[in-house]
Amino acid sequence: MDTTMIVLLLAAVVTVSIIIIVASQMRERARIERIRKTTALEDSYNRASRLLSEIPGQYFTADLKLLLIKRMEESCKDLQALKSDQPVEERLSAVQQLKKSVMDGEDKRAPIKIDSPEKSTYVQELLQNLFKMIESMHKAGKIDSATAKKNLKFVLFLVHKTHADLHVFQARDYVKQNQIRKAIHAYHLASTEMGKSRDNPMAMKAVKSFRTRIKELEAIKGDESHSTATAGQSSLDKEWDTFLHDDEWRKKADYDD
């Protein structure tokens, strides 16, 4: 075998080796990318599922539920395309059943009382995550600008509502203890929080209710009458506790302004 043939043979061996190495590297990169995408989709599904299960039931509108369900449904379908080892078919079926339940008005979620700073902080974190999720869906072209704007505005309103919920709980507790000055201050704080959503008619209705309650408490402040203070609070208590349960607020509120 002459030198030329040896050189050609060696060149062929090197070339084949390079092709094998490159092909192997490409397969490895594809495997890693598939794992990355699968992990990201799993995280996306789990985050939406967590928000749907942990955000207080009284804070949800059908629109917000359907946005979270849309995120979960899309994650399942993308996982199917990647042939994920996860039980995607079962998840997708459950999500689609839930979607039908929400659209039929049959999905009911329990309200959660915001009665501690820790609970208030936790719910605010959930709402902030929901805000970011809606933003990311808009940036990815999953929802249009009008839908994003409407729901982002409402989530901000809910953040203010969470602050107000805590202040109202504290105010009621102060009234029970006959600490009327502290109760008045707590109602002022609740009014300030709701006042941050000035474009929401129900928030403004709440502000008026708080101001009325403050005047009632100021009128009896010198007397410090526990029974009078408690009796005067009952109507505001009922109105605030059903604030987001009444379907009427949805008809009055216009978040597209």
Side-chain angles (χ1 to χ4, degrees):
M1 184 179 297
D2 60 26
T3 304
T4 302
M5 287 296 295
I6 294 174
V7 171
L8 290 174
L9 182 59
L10 289 174
V13 170
V14 171
T15 301
V16 170
S17 299
I18 291 172
I19 291 173
I20 292 173
I21 292 170
V22 170
S24 177
Q25 289 178 336
M26 289 177 66
R27 283 196 299 271
E28 181 63 13
R29 287 173 184 169
R31 187 185 70 83
I32 293 172
E33 179 63 14
R34 180 177 175 276
I35 292 173
R36 187 194 67 77
K37 288 181 178 179
T38 299
T39 301
L41 289 168
E42 284 285 335
D43 288 345
S44 176
Y45 175 91
N46 290 332
R47 281 196 300 270
S49 178
R50 175 174 170 246
L51 292 174
L52 191 58
S53 63
E54 296 187 19
I55 289 176
Q58 71 269 26
Y59 286 5
F60 274 116
T61 61
D63 283 348
L64 280 180
K65 289 179 185 178
L66 289 172
L67 277 180
L68 288 167
I69 290 169
K70 177 181 175 67
R71 185 63 168 247
M72 293 164 70
E73 190 174 24
E74 289 175 345
S75 296
C76 285
K77 289 179 178 178
D78 288 343
L79 283 168
Q80 277 183 324
L82 289 172
K83 302 186 185 303
S84 170
D85 296 331
Q86 299 298 323
V88 181
E89 295 289 344
E90 293 86 343
R91 285 185 190 174
L92 183 57
S93 177
V95 168
Q96 290 173 340
Q97 288 177 7
L98 178 58
K99 181 179 180 180
K100 183 179 184 303
S101 178
V102 171
M103 294 179 74
D104 291 343
E106 297 174 354
D107 181 67
K108 307 298 180 184
R109 296 179 183 271
I112 298 174
K113 184 176 290 186
I114 309 299
D115 54 7
S116 70
E118 293 77 19
K119 193 175 291 185
S120 176
T121 298
Y122 181 65
V123 172
Q124 288 166 40
E125 289 175 355
L126 292 174
L127 293 171
Q128 288 164 1
N129 288 333
L130 176 57
F131 189 95
K132 292 176 182 176
M133 191 204 78
I134 295 172
E135 279 188 322
S136 68
M137 291 179 74
H138 179 226
K139 290 178 181 177
K142 302 294 184 180
I143 56 176
D144 59 38
S145 295
T147 299
K149 179 181 177 182
K150 169 185 173 182
N151 286 283
L152 288 172
K153 188 180 291 188
F154 182 64
V155 172
L156 283 177
F157 159 72
L158 290 179
V159 172
H160 303 321
K161 171 73 165 57
T162 305
H163 283 288
D165 273 335
L166 178 60
H167 293 313
V168 169
F169 175 83
Q170 292 170 333
R172 293 176 182 178
D173 196 46
Y174 287 137
V175 168
K176 291 176 184 177
Q177 299 174 44
N178 266 354
Q179 298 183 43
I180 306 303
R181 292 181 184 277
K182 289 184 178 180
I184 290 172
H185 178 63
Y187 277 122
H188 271 300
L189 293 175
S191 178
T192 298
E193 284 301 325
M194 296 311 294
K196 294 175 182 178
S197 290
R198 294 187 177 279
D199 56 350
N200 185 305
M202 290 304 288
M204 292 300 95
K205 180 181 178 181
V207 169
K208 290 180 181 178
S209 294
F210 291 141
R211 288 174 179 171
T212 298
R213 181 58 182 154
I214 288 168
K215 289 179 181 178
E216 291 173 351
L217 291 174
E218 286 176 338
I220 64 171
K221 185 169 55 179
D223 169 11
E224 294 291 314
S225 170
H226 176 79
S227 59
T228 304
T230 304
Q233 189 184 18
S234 60
S235 61
L236 176 60
D237 281 356
K238 183 177 180 181
E239 183 174 307
W240 184 251
D241 288 341
T242 59
F243 186 64
L244 292 183
H245 296 266
D246 186 357
D247 287 339
E248 196 61 30
W249 73 269
R250 292 184 178 87
K251 299 174 185 177
K252 294 177 182 177
D254 181 2
Y255 303 105
D256 294 320
D257 291 343

